[in-house]
């Protein structure tokens, strides 16, 4: 911590500083209390109530949780869909992102242009990205049109076919999201000590071995960060299935956040939705905690 | 943290100096570079194809967007699609709302984060560290948990269908405070002491000494916040009922296809328009992109 230089601070000054600090901190504290702390408390309370958007609220204890876990027909499928999406999406995202980050090294001229290109979908509205893909995946869209013309072959209807809908969502999401991890990993790669890699190379290590034994262990903290963040965000997937497949066919691509949204705002059962949101939160915390416990096995920090 | 040594192949410890390389290896390297470059090019083409196709579709006559065989160019180049968007749907309203909400959000976030960051990073007061940990704790709560009670809160405030509801609930992020605090802590204390000696209190020091130095950090935070507001979808979907009046761009885009069937030409034109500001931001910031990501998490969703 930086040292304050030799000037002695008078009591009066310290007292002024405290008052001023109070002034500086008040907007943030008030805002966070009102818009985070109160909602969290309210969410706990709501999850214990039958709480319609309009009308009478009744205390039901843990009935909402019990209903979700035992009798709600869509809850478990939705949870499963989110997990399936995460299991498919996260590894593909990371492999593609790492591959591109490695390829876009100092040897590639114009790599800044490529990076911007791969990063664009990350910052453009996800709704716009989804619409672009909807255009391409439609039965009359680009992919099937090309297939018909070039091979005379009819492709499956990617968005309503039970086997393809989830895959379409995953592919679209990887396209839209991997640029972020690519840049995270690029930043890590650029901080690699060149001497270590060079030394290994001189000792006779070649491409693949350098990658597996040197580069990846050296950037494993960044890979860990990317994995944790990507799993968290993929458990929260919503816009892609909502707009691409509407959760269908049936409920086969409806993720948990869409279940929460529908329960709360379509079926107007806010209490049940709040309970489902807490279960999602518990899942996220649990998965994240597991990752932190497992990191000793594969994440290498330099000190 | 873990003390595991980095796994290196045997013999590294000797740490050989830089030695000359044979011509065979040099050739190998060049071959590798060509392969790498070709792979990047193919990946870029595949990756850009959806965007390029969307852009060209936005200029096609309506009936030609979905046709077999697909073509990149329509029979004519219809700039009119981009003007027709504005008459077909309340698109001017969506754009105005999006800009207004995003800019208002940025302003609130900057003021709140800079002041709180200053209090945490530069001022001394009792309980500071405990409050700071509580602040960071709020980052753990996902939006999905918050949106449901937040909607009830908006009902209680009478804020449903208002701009306040779109701006304020997400403007008090601990993330911004954290970012600014980290930045403020890096500023040498001597600068501040000099102002203090001259008789300036914390407020004047903050406004005239610290804040002018914080330009880069504020810029990062502003961009990050702007993108978050501009792209936000779930909350406007909930907080707004009357899309034609308070809808933002993502809401407008999403509701596009449900009106009178799908006009793909207009939908693509609208999507492209919604992407323009963010793409401009990214291109303008490209030099800082990698470092910005590494230090601040810019662009996170």
């Amino acid at each position: 911590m930086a040292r304050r230089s030799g000037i002695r601070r008078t009591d009066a000054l310290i007292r002024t500083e405290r008052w001023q600090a109070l002034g500086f901190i008040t907007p943030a504290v008030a805002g966070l209390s009102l818009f985070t702390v109160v909602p969290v408390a309210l969410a706990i309370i709501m999850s214990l109530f039958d709480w319609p958007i309009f009308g009478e609220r009744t205390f039901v204890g843990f009935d909402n949780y019990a209903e979700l876990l035992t009798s709600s027909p869509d809850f478990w499928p939705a949870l499963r869909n989110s997990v399936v999406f995460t299991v498919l999406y996260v590894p593909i995202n990371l492999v593609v992102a790492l591959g591109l980050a490695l390829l876009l090294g100092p040897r590639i001229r114009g790599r800044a242009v490529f990076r911007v290109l791969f990063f664009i979908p990350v910052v453009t509205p996800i709704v716009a990205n989804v619409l672009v893909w909807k255009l391409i995946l439609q039965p009359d869209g680009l992919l099937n049109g090309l297939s018909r013309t070039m091979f005379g072959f009819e492709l499956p209807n990617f968005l309503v076919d039970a086997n393809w809908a989830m895959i379409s969502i995953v592919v679209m999401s990887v396209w839209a999201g991997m640029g972020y991890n690519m840049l995270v990993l690029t930043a890590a790669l650029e901080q690699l000590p060149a001497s270590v890699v060079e030394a290994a190379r001189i000792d006779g290590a070649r491409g693949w071995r350098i990658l597996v034994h040197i580069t990846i262990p050296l950037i494993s903290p960044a890979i860990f960060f990317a994995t944790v963040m990507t799993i968290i965000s993929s458990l929260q997937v919503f816009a892609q299935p909502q707009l691409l497949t509407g959760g269908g066919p049936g409920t086969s691509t409806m993720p948990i956040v869409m279940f929460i949204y529908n329960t709360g705002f379509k079926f107007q059962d806010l209490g049940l939705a709040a309970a489902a949101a807490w279960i999602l939160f518990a899942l996220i915390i649990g998965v994240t905690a597991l990752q932190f416990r497992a990191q000793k096995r594969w994440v290498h920090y330099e000190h | 943290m873990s003390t595991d040594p980095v796994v290196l192949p045997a013999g590294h410890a000797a740490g050989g100096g830089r030695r000359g390389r044979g011509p065979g290896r040099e050739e190998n390297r060049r071959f590798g570079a060509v392969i790498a470059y070709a792979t990047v090019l193919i990946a870029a083409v595949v990756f850009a194809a959806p965007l390029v196709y969307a852009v060209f579709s936005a200029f096609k006559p309506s009936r030609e967007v979905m046709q077999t065989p697909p073509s990149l160019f329509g029979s004519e180049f219809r700039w009119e699609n981009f003007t027709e968007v504005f008459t077909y749907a309340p698109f001017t309203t969506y754009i105005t709302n999006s800009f207004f909400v995003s800019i208002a959000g940025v302003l609130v976030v900057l003021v709140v984060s800079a002041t709180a960051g200053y209090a945490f990073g530069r001022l001394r007061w009792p309980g500071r560290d405990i409050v700071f940990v509580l602040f960071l704790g709020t980052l753990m709560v996902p939006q999905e948990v918050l949106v449901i009670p937040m909607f009830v809160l908006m009902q209680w405030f009478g804020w449903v269908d208002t701009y306040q509801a779109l701006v304020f609930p997400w403007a008090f992020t601990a993330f911004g405070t954290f970012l600014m605090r980290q930045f403020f802590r890096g500023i040498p204390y001597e600068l501040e002491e000099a102002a203090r000696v001259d008789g300036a209190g914390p407020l004047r020091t903050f406004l005239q000494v610290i804040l002018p130095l914080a330009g880069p950090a504020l810029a990062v935070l502003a961009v990050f916040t702007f993108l978050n507001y501009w792209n936000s979808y779930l909350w406007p979907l909930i907080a707004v009922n009357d899309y034609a009046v308070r809808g933002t761009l993502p809401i407008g885009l999403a509701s596009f296809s449900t009106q009178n069937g799908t006009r793909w030409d207009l939908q693509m034109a609208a999507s492209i328009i919604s992407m323009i500001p963010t793409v401009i931001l990214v291109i303008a910031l490209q030099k800082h992109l990698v470092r910005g990501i590494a230090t601040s998490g810019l662009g996170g969703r």
Side-chain angles (χ1 to χ4, degrees):
Chain A
M1 207 164 289
R3 272 296 317 140
R4 301 212 166 218
S5 51
I7 295 154
R8 185 163 310 140
R9 301 150 58 79
T10 63
D11 286 352
L13 199 59
I14 289 175
R15 238 176 291 133
T16 325
E17 192 167 307
R18 284 184 182 176
W19 279 111
Q20 304 243 14
L22 190 65
F24 278 109
I25 204 70
T26 299
V29 169
L32 264 184
S33 306
L34 187 56
F35 293 119
T36 301
V37 179
V38 168
V40 166
L42 189 54
I44 297 174
I45 296 168
M46 288 175 72
S47 74
L48 304 176
F49 275 80
D50 179 18
W51 192 305
I53 288 186
F54 302 103
E56 197 80 349
R57 303 184 279 267
T58 33
F59 181 78
V60 296
F62 289 103
D63 281 8
N64 284 329
Y65 293 95
E67 183 183 341
L68 288 172
L69 298 176
T70 59
S71 60
S72 165
D74 292 343
F75 178 76
W76 285 110
L79 205 57
R80 189 204 57 207
N81 291 336
S82 283
V83 171
V84 168
F85 174 81
T86 304
V87 167
L88 292 173
Y89 171 75
V90 175
I92 302 177
N93 176 321
L94 285 167
V95 168
V96 174
L98 182 60
L100 283 173
L102 287 167
L103 282 171
L104 289 173
R107 284 192 298 184
I108 303 286
R109 262 198 285 165
R111 60 187 185 282
V113 177
F114 288 114
R115 282 176 190 163
V116 168
L117 173 68
F118 290 120
F119 193 64
I120 280 176
V122 176
V123 293
T124 47
I126 188 75
V127 175
N129 295 334
V130 173
L131 292 179
V132 167
W133 276 82
K134 216 172 166 181
L135 170 82
I136 288 163
L137 295 172
Q138 291 288 317
D140 290 329
L142 177 65
L143 275 184
N144 199 28
L146 283 179
S147 172
R148 266 187 215 146
T149 320
M150 291 164 69
F151 309 111
F153 182 75
E154 197 73 20
L155 293 175
N157 189 340
F158 294 110
L159 300 178
V160 299
D161 184 312
N163 295 318
W164 286 96
M166 182 60 90
I167 294 172
S168 304
I169 293 170
V170 169
V171 169
M172 187 270 145
S173 302
V174 168
W175 177 85
M178 68 81 198
Y180 178 69
N181 283 337
M182 180 201 71
L183 282 201
V184 167
L185 298 172
T186 297
L189 285 170
E190 291 194 346
Q191 283 155 14
L192 270 189
S195 56
V196 176
V197 179
E198 192 58 29
R201 190 164 276 143
I202 286 162
D203 289 333
R206 292 288 167 91
W208 191 252
R209 285 195 58 187
I210 291 188
L211 180 67
V212 172
H213 294 294
I214 314 261
T215 313
I216 289 183
L218 279 175
I219 63 168
S220 57
I223 297 177
F224 176 68
F225 169 80
T227 311
V228 170
M229 300 306 283
T230 310
I231 289 180
I232 290 176
S233 67
S234 59
L235 287 173
Q236 299 172 334
V237 66
F238 171 69
Q240 298 93 306
Q242 156 100 351
L243 293 162
L244 215 47
T245 64
T251 56
S252 64
T253 57
M254 180 175 78
I256 183 74
V257 175
M258 196 166 154
F259 173 85
I260 293 171
Y261 175 80
N262 288 346
T263 304
F265 300 102
K266 263 198 189 140
F267 307 123
Q268 316 218 333
D269 191 343
L270 293 174
L272 196 63
W278 281 116
I279 294 176
L280 170 63
F281 187 29
L283 177 70
I284 290 175
I285 295 274
V287 170
T288 308
L290 272 181
Q291 286 178 274
F292 271 88
R293 283 186 69 178
Q295 70 168 328
K296 278 200 193 95
R297 300 218 186 121
W298 67 279
V299 183
H300 299 274
Y301 293 99
E302 270 186 71
H303 299 293
Chain B
M1 293 283 133
S2 160
T3 51
D4 297 359
V6 174
V7 183
L8 293 177
H12 162 256
R18 205 177 223 295
R19 270 171 237 142
R21 284 180 237 102
R25 164 156 294 189
E26 197 50 54
E27 229 161 71
N28 250 343
R29 274 202 170 191
R30 201 164 303 155
F31 182 68
V34 169
I35 295 280
Y37 203 82
T39 316
V40 166
L41 270 182
I42 292 168
V45 168
V46 171
F47 189 87
L51 284 176
V52 172
Y53 187 67
V55 169
F56 280 100
S57 296
F59 287 102
K60 284 180 191 168
S62 178
R63 75 202 121 69
E64 289 176 27
V65 178
M66 295 283 180
Q67 65 169 18
T68 308
S71 61
L72 194 51
F73 302 97
S75 58
E76 52 173 326
F77 211 62
R78 279 181 53 87
W79 284 98
E80 298 91 319
N81 287 347
F82 282 81
T83 49
E84 207 183 314
V85 164
F86 291 87
T87 50
Y88 180 78
F91 206 64
T92 317
T93 309
Y94 299 144
I95 290 187
T96 320
N97 284 348
S98 260
F99 267 111
F100 178 72
V101 167
S102 304
I103 290 169
V106 168
L107 290 177
V108 178
V109 167
L110 288 189
V111 170
V112 172
S113 306
T115 49
Y118 183 65
F120 282 122
R122 309 292 292 191
L123 300 176
R124 288 184 302 181
W125 42 283
R128 182 183 67 181
D129 296 342
I130 296 167
V131 177
F132 187 65
V133 169
L134 292 177
F135 258 62
L136 291 188
T138 64
L139 286 174
M140 302 260 298
V141 188
Q143 202 192 22
E144 288 72 32
V145 170
L146 292 176
V147 287
I148 296 151
M150 198 76 91
F151 173 76
V152 172
L153 217 56
M154 296 299 111
Q155 279 187 318
W156 289 347
F157 291 178
W159 279 12
V160 176
D161 267 327
T162 65
Y163 290 120
Q164 302 91 289
L166 291 171
V167 174
F168 285 116
W170 315 102
F172 299 89
T173 69
F175 171 78
T177 299
F178 181 57
L179 188 76
M180 294 314 296
R181 170 189 181 264
Q182 296 306 96
F183 181 83
F184 287 147
R185 294 191 68 141
I187 298 173
Y189 276 91
E190 286 72 18
L191 268 173
E192 214 174 355
E193 288 298 346
R196 291 277 167 94
V197 171
D198 291 343
L203 185 61
R204 273 193 66 187
T205 318
F206 172 68
L207 289 176
Q208 296 185 346
V209 179
I210 302 292
L211 212 50
L213 294 172
L218 290 171
V220 166
L221 184 57
V223 169
F224 176 80
T225 308
F226 182 88
L227 291 175
N228 268 352
Y229 274 97
W230 186 264
N231 295 335
S232 155
Y233 175 57
L234 179 60
W235 176 243
L237 200 61
I238 291 168
V240 169
N241 294 322
D242 194 349
Y243 294 160
V245 178
R246 289 288 183 269
T248 53
L249 260 179
I251 296 295
L253 287 178
S255 63
F256 234 68
S257 55
T258 56
Q259 309 169 349
N260 342 321
T262 304
R263 281 287 302 273
W264 281 104
D265 54 334
L266 299 188
Q267 204 163 324
M268 283 307 112
S271 297
I272 301 305
I273 294 173
S274 76
M275 293 176 171
I276 291 174
T278 66
V279 171
I280 290 177
L281 269 183
V282 170
I283 290 176
L285 291 170
Q286 52 146 319
K287 279 201 183 115
H288 310 285
L289 214 52
V290 173
R291 210 161 34 98
I293 287 272
T295 55
S296 72
L298 163 82
R301 279 219 157 123

